[in-house]
Amino acid sequence: MLLFSLAGISPFAQPGPDRSFPVVIRGVTSVTPLPDGIDIRAGAAREKIVALRNGILRFRVSRTDTLPEDASWAVLAGARHSQAAARPITTVDFVGFATKRLRVEVDRRTMEVTVLDADGRVLQQDARPICYWGNSFRIDKVMPANEHFFGLGDKTGPLDRRNEAFTLWNTDAYRFQESTDPIYKSIPFFITYQAGAAAGVLLDNTWRSSFDFGKESRNSYSFGAENGPIDYYLMYGPSPQKVVEEYAWLTGKPPLPPLWSLGFQQSRYSYMSQSKVLAVARRLRADHIPADAIYLDIDYQEKDRPFTIDRSRFPDLAGMIAKLAAEHFHVVAIADLHIAKVPGYYPYDNGVANDDFVKNPDGSVYTGVVWPGPSVFPDFTRRQTRRWFGSLYKKLYGMGVSGFWDDMNEPSIFNSPAGTMPLDVVHRIDEPGFRSRTATHAEIHNVYGMENSRATFDGLKLLKPDQRPFVLTRATYAGGQRYAATWTGDNSSTWNHLRMTTPMLENLGLSGFAFAGADVGGFAGSPTMNLLTKWIEIGAFQPIDRDHTEKGTQPQEPWVGGPAQEAIRRRYIDTRYRLMPYIYTLADQASRTGLPMIRPLFLEFPDAAADRHPLDIDPEASSEFLLGPDLLIAPAPFSDQIDEYEVEFPSSDWYDFWTGGKVHDPAPRSAPNPVLPPDPARLVPLTTHVHPSLAGLPVYVRGGTILPMQPLVQSTGETPDGPLTLRAYAGNPGEGRPCGGSLYLDDGITEAYRHGDFLRMKFTCRFEADALQIDIGAHEGAYPAWWKSIQVKIYGWNAGQRNFRVNGNTVAAVECGRALCITIPDDGRGMEITAR
């Protein structure tokens, strides 16, 4: 046991899961400075630390002289091979290097690494040397008392991962609950947040991995995997937004989706016939409930076999799709990856002929039971297999299906004790950037769903190069945002699942998936009518808004439950469509920067609290979220509660979206605990009290915002009739953000925007007690506006002035509710609005 006492790692003095004792990497024996970092030897072991950017480091470790293969399913090759200049640093106690933003120190004795910023602030520090148990490894980091953790995709539980532990192993988790782990996705990326400063960590390892944020040790957090490489990245902010953008630079940004995919989507498992699908579409239009998509689940297929059509239930699928298209509906069809093992079934015969399926260790094709019965599975680690699988969409895509839904791709297997493929199933990696080799399913499992969605996305691009694909995937890995949107899987129709949705979507957004949603109303079971109503209200402000439920449940369309419930639900879906210019602008921003659409408060306001803790961990703010930078949605912390609750705001100027009234602090300010006085260090700039109601969902607009809106339409395919509305809210947006807003528009479906066929506008504003100035920027790009005039609504500014100057000409304002309104022609050249 001498090894353990010398290594100073007594907590690990027990054998690992494979009964092996730990091997500790320690003791620098040689150092080779590199232009971008250092290469260190510790006897036979090796660690290479390099800077990809001034704020991004990559760490690679091996127990031998040979580093792991430099390949990745997640990290883009261009990012992985980038270099930032590094200046070597050597002292008696440590070796290291410095970039313009970071300093790396490696203890000569223990090999423990400390990373500091340019001001000497410790960003990350090893708590003990790296340990191996057989093929598994563990990396431990010091965890200060005020450090918080976010990310890992759509894990259950609170937004903050502190005091929690998680396993990453893609799992079909039907009816998952708040304590269920693992579930559908493996995204080994998290953000550390301490006193307003943030850093990101990506462990690029596809094997079963785990993350412990103080569950086992109160003073440290750790991460590791059962096998595979130690290859991880550190991204420094210090702002949380900068970390998210750096992660997107590493792993890729989500492509701009088709506009229709941001509209309301109606689905169930299953609409059992062509006539039923058309009836649902007719009812949506007859009841004036805006909608853009209807989904087909597996029952449109013959005997549940992917890429087939059950002609008895859907005798004219192409004709049905054409009828729906005429009413501006898009069809999304499920296309599971399992291929029925049935000779004479084209995908099976063709896949066998091309040798496209994964195999057992003895070389035979692996077979597992899924919906069609015995099935075989494409080997998506082969480029040629992905190309073949993508070609299978030709018939349905040619019929006019607009998008595809990759389900069951963990992969889920019915007749397996583990619910998935055996770990020894063999994949044959044949992929640019990788060494050609075989790999077991234990290594490939967590990327299998992502590579399925990649095959779908790339296949659709080849079939219709000028059309934006829409792919929705259930399972994925880091970087999967390059190929698909996602949802949180088979949730349940309970109030608790509605509450769980917000932190799941927030953490997905922080983890790269800007375009994500949850099954509105819940998938498993039937919601009460009040639950369905409240879920539709909240879902209207989330990126993917899809109402979906399982077979055997009660109807879950917006009209169920009677006219009163339907009217409330329609109001919120209407609001989503009125906000579509803002929502689509956020989608454009996500595709360019990686910033999510749905955001926790700390992402926009890291300095909101006096002690710089993330407001989202406050019980009062736990249910709140931002849609983009300017809208704050504040449902009750428990959506079925009837008691008054308090809303915390991250800055001082906010307006009620529904009334236009400015929010004022309640008097007196309530303490978080009525027994104890409030902690001055944790007080927030503004709070208000809310009385819950079924029809009410508090939504607020940030002061200093110019919010673009449009007249109501019944689908995104309908051209709005009337002026573009710009709501201008007086105030200071805070956190260094200038007063203003922006708008993005294009044709919503093709790739023409990449060649300049878009419209972009920027708005700025300045409000003073007796003067204002609003600048509406000129139209940028070649895409024409649908509006001829702009209505400007000014909230929160009333100096008694009713005459405005627009490009030097006098225009009279009128009162419209709590706003002053002017309507002016828009010739595309921009305009300046002033009053004093």
Side-chain angles (χ1 to χ4, degrees), residues 21-45:
F21 284 93
V23 174
V24 182
I25 304 297
R26 57 179 298 165
V28 175
T29 55
S30 68
V31 179
T32 302
L34 303 172
D36 56 347
I38 52 174
D39 199 339
I40 304 172
R41 300 299 199 280

